Amino acid sequence: MTNSELLQQVRVIDPVSGTDQIADVLIANGTIEAVEENISKLPSKTSVRDCRGLVLGPGLVDLYSHSGEPGFEERETLPSLIQAARSGGFTRVAILPNTTPPLDNPAGLARLQRLAGDITDKLSVPPPLYFWGAITLGVQGQQMTELAELADSGIVGFTDGQPLQNLALVRRLLEYLKTLSKPIALWPEYRELAGNGVMREGINSIRLGLPGNPSISETAALAALLEVVEAVGTPVHIMRVSTGRSVQLIWEAKVRGLPITASTTWMHLLLDTEAISSYNTSLRLSPPLGSPADRAALKRGVQQGIIDAIAIDHTPYSYEEKTVAFGEAPPGAIGLELALPLLWQNLVETGEWSALELWRVLSTQPAVCLKQIPAAIAPGQPAEVILFDPQLTWKVQKQNLKSLSYNTPWLGQDLIGRVIVGVRG
């Protein structure tokens, strides 16, 4: 096995330096040794890979996704989650705490960290799993966890991954967490306003005969949350932004100098309520898909930096759980293996976004939101990189997915673009 590899004439996309260029890249012992127009002088026993037509970019970073393990291993185990992440180009994945039991105490967190460590030690290029610590006991939104103890347990940050309904509790949490210097992610939604809605309220929900969830369930909660953030001053990451009005509220808050970042999910950029006419239960999401105007506003918001990052929110469910009526299906879809090729084909190949813009919000900016150092493609940097073939065609089938679940509206379809190898120094 060689210790060094030359990637010849690969398209290098590096948001940290803002470069998109064709170059030779030499990697040795897990470190990027050189990035030059042409590298002719090589160490002995260097393997050479012709990378014409391929893209080399920093590993992708996922802000929040779900693990089936512990509690629902039939949906996803930690090994299958890691393999799905690797297959999709993700070198860092942050896991939400609503496992069974939830990650609301240091002992439970330590058990899962040990299990993840045992698995990743057996892999040659494992993406590290990071774990969010729960803000409230049982992620029930009622009583604070031992926040200081969790902060010392190696968590990436704090979130329940569920909307908090008690604003007085939110205020106390932000006051307490201000001194702990960990990322805090909150999902604004008022469940009473959402009611039993299973898709975004509007002309399409009426046409399809499905209960509607009004956009104010999100925007009213977001407006209230922003008031609390402004009063307390604790930085907050706003999860799962799904409406155009929310984009406007976030922009206005950033103009006022509020310490916030925000993310939307990849599916909310690609699909809207018009897609739900198929009644495919993999389109049952929470928050629900927005209107076409919402989707357009979200895309603009990401391009303009109002929305800082794209999250995957990988949510696996078994075939049996999703094979029910649309309104009865649990919300969520898988995405770790699908996000990059679909976003690339629908946004980059169409010329709507540049490759740098997409990579920035899938890699660099999510790392910044997690208060991590982004990976970069430069001499002396760890080789936390992936190779992506934007023209490779493959079919989304159970046997072609590393995830144990296959709840996706793209099941059975041909996709163009796939990660072919990942490296982490």
Side-chain angles (χ1 to χ4, degrees), residues 205-222:
S205 66
I206 296 170
R207 179 174 61 85
L208 297 174
L210 292 171
N213 175 345
S215 61
I216 58 169
S217 67
E218 174 174 297
T219 56
L222 175 57

Side-chain angles (χ1 to χ4, degrees), residues 15 79 88 109 119 151 157 167 171 176 197 200 212 233 324 350 360 396 404 413 423:
L109 179 68
I119 296 165
L167 279 178
R171 179 186 178 186
Y176 193 91
R200 185 61 74 211
V324 293
T350 60
R360 175 178 59 82
V396 183
L404 294 185
Q413 296 185 27
V423 179

Side-chain angles (χ1 to χ4, degrees), residues 257-309:
L258 268 64
I260 58 172
T261 56
S263 59
T264 188
T265 84
W266 70 287
M267 287 184 65
H268 286 82
L269 296 172
L270 295 178
L271 300 169
D272 54 49
T273 53
E274 292 183 355
I276 298 176
S277 59
S278 66
Y279 292 97
N280 187 321
T281 55
S282 292
L283 297 171
R284 166 84 165 95
L285 305 176
S286 187
L289 292 171
S291 68
D294 287 328
R295 182 163 70 97
L298 289 170
K299 288 195 290 184
R300 286 195 303 272
V302 173
Q303 275 192 294
Q304 295 168 1
I306 301 168
I307 305 298
D308 298 85

